[in-house]
Amino acid sequence: MSTPAEQLHMTLPSDQDSTGRTLGDEEIAEVSKAILSGTLTSTKGQFTKRLEADFAKLVGSSHAYAATSGTGALHCAFAALDPEPGDEFITTSITDIGGLTPILYQSAIPVFADVDPLTCNVTAETIEKVISDRTKAIIVTHLFGNPCDMDPIMELARSRNIPVIEDCAQAFLSTYKGRQVGTIGDIGCFSLQQGKHITTGEGGLVTTDNEEYARRMYLFINKAWGYGDPNPDHYFLALNYRMSELQGAVAVAQMDKLDTSVSSRQKTAARLTERLAGLPGVDTPKVHPDAKHVWWKYTLHVDLDVIPGGAVEFGKALQARGIVCAPRYIQKPAFRCQVIRDQKTFGNSRFPFNLARPEAVDYDPRKFVGTFEGLERIVVLPWNELYTEEHVDYIADAVIEVARLLRGRA
Ligand SMILES: *Cc1c(COP(=O)(O)O)cnc(C)c1O
């Protein structure tokens, strides 16, 4: 039984169940074919191969490989670079932990760049500050589907000969200056987890134009076994990250719905942006003029001078109106999570942190002013391809009302 207060709230479609997912007859049909084929491994089946071919074509890269998760996809990308223990991967501390822990499994050190507090994305400027002679790669995360400003980042990376990995888990079909994210850097990584634009429950994809990285990622997914080689062997340390044909079949059907998911999200997000234009104390997302935001989530950025209590109070008031938002997104920067803060890795060794330059693991908050400010300001609204104009207007009305209420307390 819902309480009277709850009955006043509109129930929004959720990406955690059928109200906000597009899983249906098409997926059932493909999964049935996979099951009836009797072949559920992607080494022998056709679905995962088709997914890889379709996805490579869709993003315009020469190679795409499926993996068990976005985390797995990122692990493949990191392994493709074959870092030496203690090498450094520059990344962001405002991301899913699945973008970070595989760095440690490849015996490398995550080195955190600060972010632009208005987008929570890394920039060329923040990356440059943490480049060292141990930097093995730069990871850019297109947070919430809003692309990082890639031109200056690529210029910096190319000038230092450092490969760039794009974490596109939240950014399917997002573009920057007409180019798809995931094809601007050297490797792109995507996630098919339950809450992403399209889903197989769990799943991931990697893309690249680089033949050497492609080969290593393919091998890393397959226990480094050289399928089809004249004298195959297990060439190096690797795992089994293969997607099964069950996921592959669902993914093939979901892929057809990606375009609709993205364009619907763009349409409803534009409506909210319009409704909130000029609202004192609340900024809507800052998007590069030549970039296409794909709205994995819709973020509000509250002005701490105008809204007492910042994101936390704002989020609480929205939650009281039935909007299941996430004030402060991941709550704290990743370097404050136990695994990184306390270096909880392999036994008591602290490996690979024991090899790190002191500077690389110094998380003095003064180095992360943008990160802390960004988290204090951000309220992440759930977004969904099945939102109607009524849903958006309900959210807009709530945001406007909450902003007015909280401003009154200033
Ligand atoms: C979801 C996500 C991941 C991890 O993907 P999983 O499929 O959950 O393993 C990594 N990075 C970002 C930015 C994500 O949003």
Side-chain angles (χ1 to χ4, degrees):
M1 275 275 288
S2 51
T3 64
E6 278 166 348
Q7 282 159 12
L8 297 173
H9 298 147
M10 186 178 272
T11 306
L12 297 167
S14 161
D15 60 23
Q16 298 304 299
D17 58 44
S18 60
T19 61
R21 298 280 68 180
T22 56
L23 299 162
D25 292 343
E26 299 78 9
E27 287 74 13
I28 292 170
E30 300 296 348
V31 172
S32 298
K33 283 187 231 163
I35 290 174
L36 294 174
S37 77
T39 305
L40 296 185
T41 171
S42 57
T43 56
K44 303 281 187 331
Q46 291 310 313
F47 286 93
T48 306
K49 286 191 186 79
R50 204 167 107 207
L51 166 68
E52 292 171 340
D54 288 355
F55 194 65
K57 195 160 153 223
L58 182 69
V59 301
S61 69
S62 7
H63 304 276
Y65 296 113
T68 49
S69 65
T71 306
L74 285 148
H75 196 178
C76 295
F78 304 159
L81 303 185
D82 200 18
E84 293 298 324
D87 278 356
E88 298 173 1
F89 280 53
I90 294 174
T91 183
T92 173
S93 66
I94 304 183
T95 186
D96 186 283
I97 198 78
L100 301 173
T101 43
I103 301 172
L104 297 166
Y105 274 103
Q106 283 312 112
S107 73
I109 312 293
V111 176
F112 298 105
D114 200 13
V115 299
D116 174 346
L118 294 180
T119 59
C120 294
N121 276 340
V122 294
T123 66
E125 216 180 17
T126 64
I127 291 166
E128 185 162 25
K129 283 193 186 137
V130 293
I131 289 181
S132 80
D133 56 8
R134 298 293 313 262
T135 304
K136 183 72 178 175
I138 295 165
I139 304 161
V140 298
T141 303
H142 306 296
L143 209 61
F144 309 117
N146 188 17
C148 296
D149 190 3
M150 289 305 289
D151 272 356
I153 292 174
M154 291 312 298
E155 197 177 310
L156 171 68
R158 295 296 181 237
S159 76
R160 310 284 181 102
N161 232 340
I162 303 169
V164 173
I165 296 168
E166 298 180 74
D167 183 342
C168 312
Q170 307 178 355
F172 276 107
L173 297 191
S174 178
T175 61
Y176 174 88
K177 301 197 175 175
R179 301 179 62 190
Q180 292 245 5
V181 302
T183 65
I184 302 168
D186 299 273
I187 300 176
C189 302
F190 297 80
S191 166
L192 294 165
Q193 211 274 332
Q194 176 76 38
K196 302 297 159 79
H197 284 83
I198 50 170
T199 187
T200 58
E202 308 292 345
L205 287 152
V206 289
T207 56
T208 188
D209 284 337
N210 178 304
E211 295 300 322
E212 182 197 332
Y213 296 156
R215 174 73 179 155
R216 277 193 66 92
M217 289 196 289
Y218 168 80
L219 287 168
F220 194 74
I221 289 168
N222 287 291
K223 310 173 194 174
W225 178 253
Y227 285 96
D229 287 359
N231 297 302
D233 197 354
H234 296 286
Y235 300 128
F236 54 80
L237 182 64
L239 297 159
N240 177 350
Y241 273 142
R242 288 196 288 261
M243 179 180 274
S244 93
E245 287 288 277
L246 295 173
Q247 270 98 352
V250 174
V252 162
Q254 282 278 285
M255 212 46 82
D256 287 340
K257 301 176 182 178
L258 181 54
D259 220 15
T260 316
S261 165
V262 168
S263 52
S264 165
R265 284 163 183 258
Q266 286 176 314
K267 206 167 122 225
T268 49
R271 185 179 180 91
L272 183 59
T273 301
E274 204 174 285
R275 290 277 328 263
L276 301 183
L279 182 66
V282 179
D283 288 323
T284 56
K286 179 179 110 178
V287 186
H288 189 284
D290 286 333
K292 186 172 102 175
H293 191 321
V294 292
W295 306 100
W296 178 60
K297 304 282 178 192
Y298 191 108
T299 55
L300 302 171
H301 306 265
V302 303
D303 184 337
L304 303 171
D305 293 333
V306 180
I307 307 285
V312 171
E313 287 306 313
F314 206 96
K316 259 195 227 157
L318 286 179
Q319 282 161 355
R321 286 159 179 77
I323 298 169
V324 193
C325 60
R328 298 182 60 87
Y329 183 40
I330 50 163
Q331 308 305 313
K332 58 189 178 192
F335 51 75
R336 295 242 166 120
C337 291
Q338 285 180 41
V339 50
I340 294 169
R341 186 193 66 198
D342 302 339
Q343 307 184 338
K344 296 280 188 202
T345 53
F346 302 94
N348 291 318
S349 69
R350 300 191 298 110
F351 180 86
F353 288 112
N354 58 329
L355 307 176
R357 292 180 306 121
E359 175 76 10
V361 290
D362 170 16
Y363 309 126
D364 185 335
R366 283 170 301 186
K367 291 173 31 180
F368 300 99
V369 173
T371 301
F372 286 102
E373 187 191 329
L375 290 176
E376 253 164 68
R377 296 188 49 164
I378 197 165
V379 179
V380 181
L381 300 178
W383 213 249
N384 195 278
E385 58 271 29
L386 297 181
Y387 279 5
T388 61
E389 291 186 350
E390 287 69 38
H391 294 128
V392 177
D393 288 341
Y394 177 78
I395 294 170
D397 291 343
V399 171
I400 292 165
E401 188 199 343
V402 166
R404 191 187 311 122
L405 271 173
L406 292 179
R407 273 199 319 270
R409 292 193 203 152

